[in-house]
Amino acid sequence: MRCGFCLPACPTYVETQDEVHSPRGRIALMKAVRDGDIHSYEEVEHSLEVCLGCRACEPACPAGVNYGHMLEEARAIFQENKEHSAKEKLTRKTVFEGMFPNQKRMEQATSLLGFYQRSGLQKTTRKLGFMKLFPRHMQQMERVLPKVPKKSGKRKAEAIFPAEGETKATVAMFRGCLMDTLFQETNRSTIKLLQKAGCEIVVPDSQNCCGALHGHSGEKSGSIDLAKKNIEAFEKVEADYIITNAGGCGAFLHDYKHLLKNDSEWSGRAQEFSDKIVDFTSILVKLKFHEEHSLNVDEQIVTYQDSCHLRNVQGVSLQPRQLILSTEGANYQEMKDADQCCGSAGIYNLTQPEMSMQILDHKMEKAKATNATTILTTNPGCLLQMKLGIEREGLTNEVRAMHLADFLLEAIEV
């Protein structure tokens, strides 16, 4: 397809007006490599790295070209065939093999951050000006990191949370890496909301990282290993749905059916797993949570920033808005281009900081135009990015960013 309907939907093309940084241009580059028309791959790899992977081009494509799968395959091919420096090998091994697949190590890393925050070391570091050695956006990121909660005892082998009142559905919850460490409170909020909606919730302990970071970074074999482990973990639970509260994780879990489609042993199991993936807002609306419970907050202007993967891959955009509009006191103002990426895109704001901050600054212009004092979203990366945007605009005392689950629990417990 070469029609160009994807161009206005692509954030990097909008920012650069360069065809090399558009979905159509990137597909042309992939094809040229395959056909042997390009023999120097640096520009091709750079173009793929600059891509956010937001997949906004997919809903815009009249032919339904699945660009996201092509992007991940291309990145995987580059990683398999390129020479890595010793430093890059060590970094990738540490991140993709040592940390994310191991929840205990994720917890240990988060505990170190918690110690840094609570011990006084954070205040001392800032007072001495140590953070000034880092780029401006890194200094700002350090200021918006959430407070790490203290570890509360040993994790149960398999946690079960009963429904409040009649049990309408049995669900298994995917807890996630960041959501289970930096955003534990949001996970707790999600569980409480599901209980109030009539769900019995099972949280399998043998689940692992979803593999999204691996898949988006060309580490395909690692993402496949994690997918198989998660499928096995959730097969042990007889649940009607598998619930996620992170748009990025949910989209990758939803795509297990594609990731394992050529594996005869796993393709059917992956399809069954993917068919059960449901975002928490979808199940709340399905079970009429917003109709059966009174939601109230103090008068405030609220806007919503879509999670790209929740909207573009899982097709969920109306449900979060339905829940917000059902909340008394929340004066909802739709943000212009709320469906366009905020520039977070996993670790994109670390690997491509210049483009990420450019996209974020334009996003904040649109957020400010709503006069919102609360910006809601449904993905941890988006949440941190919007907090960063608020910090960059000097609005920390006037505007807050929240995960929608925390906002809804606040509304029901007031």
Side-chain angles (χ1 to χ4, degrees):
M1 292 301 292
R2 301 179 183 181
C3 63
F5 275 90
C6 57
L7 299 184
C10 176
T12 52
Y13 177 78
V14 170
E15 294 294 334
T16 64
Q17 295 297 300
D18 186 346
E19 188 76 49
V20 168
H21 295 310
S22 74
R24 182 172 66 178
R26 291 180 176 114
I27 290 172
L29 289 173
M30 293 178 203
K31 185 176 184 297
V33 171
R34 187 202 66 179
D35 294 345
D37 296 331
I38 291 180
H39 301 285
S40 178
Y41 305 133
E42 288 81 4
E43 185 180 10
V44 181
E45 186 177 12
H46 175 66
S47 175
L48 298 181
E49 288 174 349
V50 171
C51 178
L52 292 146
C54 68
R55 296 173 71 167
C57 50
E58 292 180 17
C61 180
V65 172
N66 201 313
Y67 170 81
H69 295 162
M70 297 173 68
L71 174 68
E72 288 176 5
E73 290 290 344
R75 285 176 170 172
I77 290 168
F78 268 105
Q79 288 305 320
E80 289 168 9
N81 291 282
K82 70 182 291 189
E83 288 291 327
H84 294 94
S85 66
K87 181 181 178 181
E88 188 176 0
K89 284 180 182 177
L90 178 62
T91 301
R92 295 183 79 89
K93 187 175 180 63
T94 301
V95 173
F96 297 119
E97 295 179 31
M99 183 173 289
F100 278 90
N102 190 315
Q103 192 65 8
K104 286 185 179 178
R105 287 178 187 157
M106 286 290 292
E107 290 172 1
Q108 289 167 354
T110 309
S111 295
L112 288 175
L113 176 59
F115 174 77
Y116 168 73
Q117 293 173 335
R118 291 189 293 268
S119 65
L121 186 59
Q122 186 179 48
K123 290 181 180 178
T124 303
T125 299
R126 291 176 179 178
K127 191 173 181 180
L128 293 174
F130 179 73
M131 290 306 299
K132 291 180 180 178
L133 298 174
F134 294 88
R136 180 170 172 258
H137 78 283
M138 293 288 287
Q139 298 174 39
Q140 293 165 334
M141 283 182 184
E142 188 268 347
R143 290 198 289 270
V144 302
L145 285 172
K147 297 294 180 186
V148 177
K150 289 185 179 180
K151 194 173 180 179
S152 54
K154 190 177 180 181
R155 188 195 300 282
K156 295 179 182 178
E158 183 172 271
I160 300 176
F161 301 88
E164 289 187 12
E166 176 192 358
T167 300
K168 299 177 181 178
T170 299
V171 304
M173 183 168 168
F174 184 81
R175 63 181 179 228
C177 301
L178 283 179
M179 296 305 296
D180 196 44
T181 49
L182 279 182
F183 297 97
Q184 281 185 14
E185 286 304 317
T186 301
N187 270 0
R188 293 191 186 104
S189 296
T190 305
I191 288 169
K192 288 180 181 178
L193 293 172
L194 292 170
Q195 287 179 292
K196 291 179 183 296
C199 294
E200 178 181 85
I201 305 109
V202 182
V203 186
D205 187 57
S206 55
Q207 61 179 290
N208 216 310
C209 169
C210 68
L213 185 61
H214 296 71
H216 301 331
S217 303
E219 298 285 337
K220 187 176 180 180
S221 61
S223 66
I224 288 174
D225 290 342
L226 290 168
K228 291 178 179 178
K229 288 177 182 177
N230 281 323
I231 291 169
E232 284 183 329
F234 282 88
E235 282 178 336
K236 297 173 184 176
V237 181
E238 293 185 6
D240 303 310
Y241 307 100
I242 299 171
I243 304 298
T244 66
N245 60 1
C249 295
F252 201 75
L253 296 169
H254 176 271
D255 271 355
Y256 278 4
K257 59 189 175 187
H258 171 77
L259 187 65
L260 296 168
K261 69 178 183 179
N262 295 322
D263 189 318
S264 58
E265 180 186 349
W266 287 89
S267 58
R269 296 165 72 179
Q271 181 71 55
E272 187 175 345
F273 176 91
S274 295
D275 288 345
K276 287 187 175 183
I277 297 296
V278 177
D279 179 67
F280 84 102
T281 61
S282 297
I283 194 67
L284 290 180
V285 170
K286 183 180 179 67
L287 297 179
K288 302 186 186 305
F289 166 82
H290 56 309
E291 296 176 14
E292 296 177 1
H293 293 83
S294 177
L295 300 171
N296 295 279
V297 294
D298 293 336
E299 288 288 334
Q300 57 193 281
I301 299 174
V302 176
T303 194
Y304 176 72
Q305 166 61 27
D306 285 280
S307 158
C308 294
H309 288 101
L310 181 60
R311 183 179 184 119
N312 300 327
V313 181
Q314 292 180 265
V316 176
S317 61
L318 296 178
Q319 294 90 329
R321 290 168 169 83
Q322 282 179 268
L323 293 166
I324 298 168
L325 289 167
S326 299
T327 305
E328 290 291 329
N331 177 8
Y332 181 69
Q333 298 293 321
E334 180 72 17
M335 187 194 311
K336 184 182 178 185
D337 297 330
D339 59 337
Q340 288 193 356
C341 188
C342 63
S344 171
I347 58 171
Y348 186 90
N349 51 13
L350 298 176
T351 60
Q352 300 289 331
E354 185 177 345
M355 179 63 74
S356 176
M357 293 305 102
Q358 190 173 323
I359 291 170
L360 176 59
D361 289 343
H362 289 155
K363 174 64 67 176
M364 288 308 299
E365 290 174 8
K366 292 160 186 174
K368 287 192 295 182
T370 67
N371 294 315
T373 53
T374 301
I375 302 173
L376 300 174
T377 189
T378 45
N379 187 60
C382 302
L383 178 57
L384 288 175
Q385 186 81 340
M386 297 314 295
K387 285 178 177 287
L388 177 58
I390 291 168
E391 175 72 24
R392 287 172 68 84
E393 295 293 330
L395 298 172
T396 305
N397 297 324
E398 302 167 38
V399 182
R400 63 176 181 166
M402 292 182 74
H403 192 286
L404 180 55
D406 296 317
F407 179 78
L408 292 174
L409 188 66
E410 179 182 284
I412 206 170
E413 290 190 340
V414 168

